[in-house]
Amino acid sequence: MGSVGLVTPQQMHFSEPLPLKSGAVLADYTLTYETYGTLNAERSNAVLVCHALNASHHVAGVHADGSVGWWDNLVGPGKPLDTDRFFVVGVNNPGSCFGSTGPMHVNPATGRIYGADFPVQTVEDWVDAQARLMQRLGIERLAAVAGGSLGGMQALAWTLRHPARVRHCIAVATTPNLSAQNIAFNEVARRAIITDPDFHGGHFYAHGVVPRRGLRVARMIGHITYLSDDAMDAKFGRQLRAAELGYSTQEIEFQIESYLRHQGDKFSEYFDANTYLLITRALDYFDPALAHGGDLARAFAVARHHGFLLVSFSTDWRFSPARSRELVKALVDNRIAVSYAEIDAPHGHDAFLLDDARYHAVMRAYFERIALEVSALRGHDTHPSPLPSPRGEGPAGRSLP
Amino acid sequence: MSERRDLETIAELVPAGSRVLDLGCGSGELLAHLRQHKDCSGYGIEIDDANVHACVQRGVDVIQLNLEEGLALFDDNSFDVVMQLDTLQHLRNTERMLKETARVGRIGIVSFPNFAHWPNRLRVLGGRMPVTKVLPYQWYDTPNIRVGTYADFEVLARKSGLAVTDSFGLQAGRVVRRWPNLLASVAVFRFEQR
């Protein structure tokens, strides 16, 4: 299994305004994206990968500066999402701080930096922006859309907003909506940023400062919720930084404090405060059942012709398996093709980014099925698929590779 | 139950075009067979990671669940057929699962090792628990925590308000309709809610 190697982000400009769910529009915007693999002649092997809160279009491979894609363990030649078979696209969503138009850019209407005036984004808005990019790339219908966490929400939203333009949805460690507890965590993070004196109501760019303290605390809070109690205990326990207690209320005593501060510091160096607010709000707003009287099954009635793979992780308390099961039920109620794997992994929500053998085996098997379908759709004039027959009568209870 | 002929015999109990829920579906062999030969659709339920993987590989829709937690995911009568093959004996809450099977499916089909098969009886008469091809475990390490007989199931079905519409034994790939409680190592029942 290899890496897609050195990759360079690309950009696409859109002059036609993007209507947003809020009623506002995003005028004149640019999307940054990356692609891996080759689009086949029928343009039927494209897979869109949607990113979560602090990730970007940089899904796989390495940039010239050495940074590795956030899902590089899953996407690449010979990897579960095999770039020898699929044309994979990663898109940075509007409002982000990694290259696509965001709050740090100039608002064409005013000539000033957007800051807090950047229009509020929703998962559905992002999906619409991604759909426009697919159109430009000549992809009428995606073989699949995949994502974890907030990216999983986008994958789900694709099947609801553009059902005719995608065949399969792979949604990992995600949820049909945020619980009150989840919204509460987001709100604490937002308050930390907004109450930072350097925030200046979101127009801190003009003051030449960054609300670092707020960003640090926001990241610390977020980070706690991405890990499980067990994972944190295994990694840090009650380890002290120094040999003995310092009896200080303000200095670091425990290693976990040091780790969280380090994570917060790193994050505040590269992440935009307004982006953090926008993205956590998009998480809060996602609720496809809302327009259907709270009936999730009715929301998914339109996704009848898709195939779904849902994956959750046993120790993910932020987007728990119970929430994925709600999605499974909504799909089953509609008689929609769905497979669901509940992976017993100790890492909490972060597990979706990690290389768990059972998780990756299921992902690989599902993508292999899609590859077979893509080959079948190409008809008889192409080379035979190197994959085993889908209905081969293998031995019962085949074990994992 | 992995034997091909047993699988085909049981598949014959499923009406063509049925929507099927297969509880404890293993590697999805039966569902793949039903889809291919009888135009059926539906899902398998599995707890085991390797089996979930095998089902996805096969293209059988599988949902990873612990059956001990019940079938809350599924509405009443939402499937034509609910199958529980070689699974019942592993579940703690046998009676509840049976009722759940009848609630979710219009037709229920179960199979399980028949403890009253004559070699088992002989072995017990000899003072030891049976260890056979169908019951291959020692008493102290068996996953078969609910060991019953063909005749026992008839009693439980009556008690649970189930109408048995067909039943037979399976022995070495053959259907046994005469004295199945004595002559068959596997019991098969098809039932509906009364």
PDB file of all heavy atoms in Angstrom, chain A residues 302-319:
ATOM      1  N   VAL A 302     -36.214   9.918   0.242  1.00  0.00           N
ATOM      2  CA  VAL A 302     -35.713  10.316  -1.070  1.00  0.00           C
ATOM      3  C   VAL A 302     -34.424   9.554  -1.450  1.00  0.00           C
ATOM      4  O   VAL A 302     -34.036   9.505  -2.612  1.00  0.00           O
ATOM      5  CB  VAL A 302     -35.488  11.854  -1.091  1.00  0.00           C
ATOM      6  CG1 VAL A 302     -34.325  12.239  -0.173  1.00  0.00           C
ATOM      7  CG2 VAL A 302     -35.234  12.363  -2.484  1.00  0.00           C
ATOM      8  N   ALA A 303     -33.780   8.951  -0.445  1.00  0.00           N
ATOM      9  CA  ALA A 303     -32.489   8.273  -0.679  1.00  0.00           C
ATOM     10  C   ALA A 303     -32.672   6.799  -1.014  1.00  0.00           C
ATOM     11  O   ALA A 303     -31.771   5.994  -0.829  1.00  0.00           O
ATOM     12  CB  ALA A 303     -31.597   8.426   0.557  1.00  0.00           C
ATOM     13  N   ARG A 304     -33.834   6.447  -1.535  1.00  0.00           N
ATOM     14  CA  ARG A 304     -34.220   5.049  -1.710  1.00  0.00           C
ATOM     15  C   ARG A 304     -33.290   4.229  -2.596  1.00  0.00           C
ATOM     16  O   ARG A 304     -33.161   3.031  -2.438  1.00  0.00           O
ATOM     17  CB  ARG A 304     -35.642   5.007  -2.274  1.00  0.00           C
ATOM     18  CG  ARG A 304     -36.297   3.674  -2.159  1.00  0.00           C
ATOM     19  CD  ARG A 304     -37.792   3.801  -1.973  1.00  0.00           C
ATOM     20  NE  ARG A 304     -38.126   4.366  -0.671  1.00  0.00           N
ATOM     21  CZ  ARG A 304     -39.365   4.562  -0.249  1.00  0.00           C
ATOM     22  NH1 ARG A 304     -40.377   4.272  -1.013  1.00  0.00           N
ATOM     23  NH2 ARG A 304     -39.603   5.070   0.946  1.00  0.00           N
ATOM     24  N   HIS A 305     -32.636   4.893  -3.531  1.00  0.00           N
ATOM     25  CA  HIS A 305     -31.850   4.123  -4.503  1.00  0.00           C
ATOM     26  C   HIS A 305     -30.351   4.113  -4.213  1.00  0.00           C
ATOM     27  O   HIS A 305     -29.560   3.727  -5.041  1.00  0.00           O
ATOM     28  CB  HIS A 305     -32.126   4.644  -5.912  1.00  0.00           C
ATOM     29  CG  HIS A 305     -33.580   4.562  -6.247  1.00  0.00           C
ATOM     30  ND1 HIS A 305     -34.228   3.359  -6.421  1.00  0.00           N
ATOM     31  CD2 HIS A 305     -34.531   5.525  -6.358  1.00  0.00           C
ATOM     32  CE1 HIS A 305     -35.507   3.589  -6.664  1.00  0.00           C
ATOM     33  NE2 HIS A 305     -35.721   4.885  -6.622  1.00  0.00           N
ATOM     34  N   HIS A 306     -30.002   4.558  -3.019  1.00  0.00           N
ATOM     35  CA  HIS A 306     -28.588   4.584  -2.660  1.00  0.00           C
ATOM     36  C   HIS A 306     -28.207   3.345  -1.872  1.00  0.00           C
ATOM     37  O   HIS A 306     -29.053   2.676  -1.308  1.00  0.00           O
ATOM     38  CB  HIS A 306     -28.282   5.827  -1.820  1.00  0.00           C
ATOM     39  CG  HIS A 306     -28.557   7.105  -2.528  1.00  0.00           C
ATOM     40  ND1 HIS A 306     -29.744   7.777  -2.391  1.00  0.00           N
ATOM     41  CD2 HIS A 306     -27.824   7.808  -3.398  1.00  0.00           C
ATOM     42  CE1 HIS A 306     -29.713   8.863  -3.139  1.00  0.00           C
ATOM     43  NE2 HIS A 306     -28.561   8.902  -3.778  1.00  0.00           N
ATOM     44  N   GLY A 307     -26.898   3.095  -1.859  1.00  0.00           N
ATOM     45  CA  GLY A 307     -26.348   2.116  -0.934  1.00  0.00           C
ATOM     46  C   GLY A 307     -25.636   2.878   0.172  1.00  0.00           C
ATOM     47  O   GLY A 307     -24.978   3.882  -0.100  1.00  0.00           O
ATOM     48  N   PHE A 308     -25.797   2.417   1.395  1.00  0.00           N
ATOM     49  CA  PHE A 308     -25.178   3.099   2.536  1.00  0.00           C
ATOM     50  C   PHE A 308     -24.246   2.152   3.289  1.00  0.00           C
ATOM     51  O   PHE A 308     -24.570   0.968   3.474  1.00  0.00           O
ATOM     52  CB  PHE A 308     -26.239   3.575   3.530  1.00  0.00           C
ATOM     53  CG  PHE A 308     -27.005   4.797   3.092  1.00  0.00           C
ATOM     54  CD1 PHE A 308     -28.053   4.681   2.178  1.00  0.00           C
ATOM     55  CD2 PHE A 308     -26.692   6.046   3.591  1.00  0.00           C
ATOM     56  CE1 PHE A 308     -28.766   5.802   1.774  1.00  0.00           C
ATOM     57  CE2 PHE A 308     -27.402   7.167   3.192  1.00  0.00           C
ATOM     58  CZ  PHE A 308     -28.442   7.046   2.280  1.00  0.00           C
ATOM     59  N   LEU A 309     -23.132   2.692   3.730  1.00  0.00           N
ATOM     60  CA  LEU A 309     -22.316   2.020   4.742  1.00  0.00           C
ATOM     61  C   LEU A 309     -22.172   2.992   5.908  1.00  0.00           C
ATOM     62  O   LEU A 309     -21.702   4.119   5.732  1.00  0.00           O
ATOM     63  CB  LEU A 309     -20.927   1.654   4.210  1.00  0.00           C
ATOM     64  CG  LEU A 309     -19.975   1.092   5.283  1.00  0.00           C
ATOM     65  CD1 LEU A 309     -20.466  -0.256   5.807  1.00  0.00           C
ATOM     66  CD2 LEU A 309     -18.551   0.949   4.749  1.00  0.00           C
ATOM     67  N   LEU A 310     -22.628   2.559   7.078  1.00  0.00           N
ATOM     68  CA  LEU A 310     -22.466   3.363   8.282  1.00  0.00           C
ATOM     69  C   LEU A 310     -21.509   2.629   9.218  1.00  0.00           C
ATOM     70  O   LEU A 310     -21.565   1.402   9.325  1.00  0.00           O
ATOM     71  CB  LEU A 310     -23.811   3.585   8.980  1.00  0.00           C
ATOM     72  CG  LEU A 310     -24.914   4.257   8.164  1.00  0.00           C
ATOM     73  CD1 LEU A 310     -26.167   4.417   9.005  1.00  0.00           C
ATOM     74  CD2 LEU A 310     -24.473   5.614   7.653  1.00  0.00           C
ATOM     75  N   VAL A 311     -20.646   3.399   9.863  1.00  0.00           N
ATOM     76  CA  VAL A 311     -19.709   2.815  10.832  1.00  0.00           C
ATOM     77  C   VAL A 311     -19.714   3.681  12.077  1.00  0.00           C
ATOM     78  O   VAL A 311     -19.716   4.919  11.983  1.00  0.00           O
ATOM     79  CB  VAL A 311     -18.268   2.756  10.258  1.00  0.00           C
ATOM     80  CG1 VAL A 311     -17.315   2.128  11.271  1.00  0.00           C
ATOM     81  CG2 VAL A 311     -18.220   1.989   8.938  1.00  0.00           C
ATOM     82  N   SER A 312     -19.753   3.035  13.242  1.00  0.00           N
ATOM     83  CA  SER A 312     -19.607   3.785  14.491  1.00  0.00           C
ATOM     84  C   SER A 312     -18.578   3.078  15.363  1.00  0.00           C
ATOM     85  O   SER A 312     -18.191   1.939  15.082  1.00  0.00           O
ATOM     86  CB  SER A 312     -20.940   3.898  15.219  1.00  0.00           C
ATOM     87  OG  SER A 312     -21.279   2.650  15.794  1.00  0.00           O
ATOM     88  N   PHE A 313     -18.161   3.751  16.429  1.00  0.00           N
ATOM     89  CA  PHE A 313     -17.138   3.192  17.319  1.00  0.00           C
ATOM     90  C   PHE A 313     -17.676   3.155  18.749  1.00  0.00           C
ATOM     91  O   PHE A 313     -18.248   4.149  19.227  1.00  0.00           O
ATOM     92  CB  PHE A 313     -15.854   4.019  17.228  1.00  0.00           C
ATOM     93  CG  PHE A 313     -15.301   4.052  15.831  1.00  0.00           C
ATOM     94  CD1 PHE A 313     -15.616   5.099  14.968  1.00  0.00           C
ATOM     95  CD2 PHE A 313     -14.526   3.007  15.355  1.00  0.00           C
ATOM     96  CE1 PHE A 313     -15.146   5.116  13.665  1.00  0.00           C
ATOM     97  CE2 PHE A 313     -14.053   3.015  14.050  1.00  0.00           C
ATOM     98  CZ  PHE A 313     -14.361   4.068  13.200  1.00  0.00           C
ATOM     99  N   SER A 314     -17.449   2.013  19.404  1.00  0.00           N
ATOM    100  CA  SER A 314     -18.097   1.753  20.692  1.00  0.00           C
ATOM    101  C   SER A 314     -17.804   2.826  21.745  1.00  0.00           C
ATOM    102  O   SER A 314     -18.666   3.143  22.558  1.00  0.00           O
ATOM    103  CB  SER A 314     -17.675   0.381  21.219  1.00  0.00           C
ATOM    104  OG  SER A 314     -16.263   0.308  21.280  1.00  0.00           O
ATOM    105  N   THR A 315     -16.598   3.400  21.735  1.00  0.00           N
ATOM    106  CA  THR A 315     -16.247   4.357  22.790  1.00  0.00           C
ATOM    107  C   THR A 315     -16.418   5.815  22.353  1.00  0.00           C
ATOM    108  O   THR A 315     -15.972   6.725  23.042  1.00  0.00           O
ATOM    109  CB  THR A 315     -14.781   4.156  23.230  1.00  0.00           C
ATOM    110  OG1 THR A 315     -13.948   4.223  22.064  1.00  0.00           O
ATOM    111  CG2 THR A 315     -14.586   2.821  23.918  1.00  0.00           C
ATOM    112  N   ASP A 316     -17.056   6.027  21.209  1.00  0.00           N
ATOM    113  CA  ASP A 316     -17.312   7.388  20.740  1.00  0.00           C
ATOM    114  C   ASP A 316     -18.522   7.935  21.494  1.00  0.00           C
ATOM    115  O   ASP A 316     -19.659   7.584  21.189  1.00  0.00           O
ATOM    116  CB  ASP A 316     -17.572   7.361  19.221  1.00  0.00           C
ATOM    117  CG  ASP A 316     -17.815   8.748  18.637  1.00  0.00           C
ATOM    118  OD1 ASP A 316     -17.917   9.722  19.416  1.00  0.00           O
ATOM    119  OD2 ASP A 316     -17.896   8.849  17.399  1.00  0.00           O
ATOM    120  N   TRP A 317     -18.271   8.748  22.479  1.00  0.00           N
ATOM    121  CA  TRP A 317     -19.401   9.277  23.262  1.00  0.00           C
ATOM    122  C   TRP A 317     -19.880  10.600  22.702  1.00  0.00           C
ATOM    123  O   TRP A 317     -20.912  11.117  23.104  1.00  0.00           O
ATOM    124  CB  TRP A 317     -19.040   9.406  24.746  1.00  0.00           C
ATOM    125  CG  TRP A 317     -17.826  10.239  25.037  1.00  0.00           C
ATOM    126  CD1 TRP A 317     -16.526   9.835  24.943  1.00  0.00           C
ATOM    127  CD2 TRP A 317     -17.791  11.591  25.468  1.00  0.00           C
ATOM    128  NE1 TRP A 317     -15.687  10.865  25.288  1.00  0.00           N
ATOM    129  CE2 TRP A 317     -16.433  11.952  25.620  1.00  0.00           C
ATOM    130  CE3 TRP A 317     -18.770  12.543  25.748  1.00  0.00           C
ATOM    131  CZ2 TRP A 317     -16.023  13.223  26.031  1.00  0.00           C
ATOM    132  CZ3 TRP A 317     -18.373  13.803  26.161  1.00  0.00           C
ATOM    133  CH2 TRP A 317     -17.009  14.138  26.297  1.00  0.00           C
ATOM    134  N   ARG A 318     -19.134  11.157  21.750  1.00  0.00           N
ATOM    135  CA  ARG A 318     -19.585  12.406  21.139  1.00  0.00           C
ATOM    136  C   ARG A 318     -20.659  12.076  20.077  1.00  0.00           C
ATOM    137  O   ARG A 318     -21.718  12.680  20.061  1.00  0.00           O
ATOM    138  CB  ARG A 318     -18.390  13.131  20.518  1.00  0.00           C
ATOM    139  CG  ARG A 318     -18.726  14.458  19.927  1.00  0.00           C
ATOM    140  CD  ARG A 318     -18.174  15.636  20.719  1.00  0.00           C
ATOM    141  NE  ARG A 318     -18.862  16.849  20.340  1.00  0.00           N
ATOM    142  CZ  ARG A 318     -18.310  18.041  20.204  1.00  0.00           C
ATOM    143  NH1 ARG A 318     -17.039  18.212  20.460  1.00  0.00           N
ATOM    144  NH2 ARG A 318     -19.016  19.092  19.852  1.00  0.00           N
ATOM    145  N   PHE A 319     -20.368  11.145  19.199  1.00  0.00           N
ATOM    146  CA  PHE A 319     -21.359  10.669  18.217  1.00  0.00           C
ATOM    147  C   PHE A 319     -21.475   9.161  18.422  1.00  0.00           C
ATOM    148  O   PHE A 319     -20.846   8.378  17.720  1.00  0.00           O
ATOM    149  CB  PHE A 319     -20.904  10.978  16.791  1.00  0.00           C
ATOM    150  CG  PHE A 319     -20.886  12.440  16.437  1.00  0.00           C
ATOM    151  CD1 PHE A 319     -20.316  12.882  15.257  1.00  0.00           C
ATOM    152  CD2 PHE A 319     -21.449  13.401  17.264  1.00  0.00           C
ATOM    153  CE1 PHE A 319     -20.290  14.228  14.910  1.00  0.00           C
ATOM    154  CE2 PHE A 319     -21.429  14.751  16.935  1.00  0.00           C
ATOM    155  CZ  PHE A 319     -20.841  15.168  15.758  1.00  0.00           C
TER     156      PHE A 319
END
